[in-house]
Amino acid sequence: PLLSTCVDACERGCIAIRSVQEKRQLQQQQQKLELQSSSSSPTAAFKVDLKDLDDPRSALTEADAAAQMQIVGSLRLTWGGRGGEGEEEGQLPKIIGEEDDTTDET
């Protein structure tokens, strides 16, 4: 079940990334229609937050966040608190359905 759970989590992450891309493409199409009479070109972009304002390599895109929430969320739903931790941990809201695995069972 571990391998199939990981494959499923990756597929969910890919779907999330594609969804963000489709949303961006729709925004570009809408902008093209609105700007047909203008010389400007559409510039639909991904939402990007910098984790470190002084380091452009620290970009966290909307697609990154959506994919991580799907991947880590899927693993945690199956494996509980031992479902792994993503690169953006602490940058994203807590995933609904997560259990706190820090309780002491003595």
Side-chain angles (χ1 to χ4, degrees):
L2 176 59
L3 180 58
S4 63
T5 300
C6 291
V7 169
D8 178 66
C10 289
E11 288 173 345
R12 290 173 188 261
C14 288
I15 290 168
I17 291 170
R18 287 186 193 113
S19 175
V20 170
Q21 178 62 22
E22 287 171 8
K23 184 173 92 174
R24 181 174 171 257
Q25 289 172 337
L26 286 173
Q27 288 172 344
Q28 284 178 326
Q29 290 172 355
Q30 287 177 329
Q31 285 180 347
K32 279 183 184 180
L33 292 174
E34 293 171 2
L35 298 173
Q36 281 180 345
S37 62
S38 173
S39 62
S40 300
S41 60
T43 57
F46 289 112
K47 180 180 179 235
V48 177
D49 293 315
L50 293 177
K51 295 178 276 186
D52 178 350
L53 295 177
D54 296 326
D55 185 359
R57 296 172 298 168
S58 72
L60 171 63
T61 69
E62 182 180 355
D64 292 332
Q68 178 165 316
M69 288 184 73
Q70 289 297 315
I71 293 168
V72 174
S74 178
L75 294 173
R76 288 181 180 166
L77 284 174
T78 301
W79 301 103
R82 292 173 292 284
E85 187 171 301
E87 177 183 1
E88 314 307 342
E89 209 67 30
Q91 303 293 325
L92 305 176
K94 189 168 179 145
I95 299 168
I96 296 172
E98 255 183 43
E99 293 181 21
D100 186 359
D101 201 32
T102 59
T103 57
D104 187 14
E105 297 180 16
T106 55

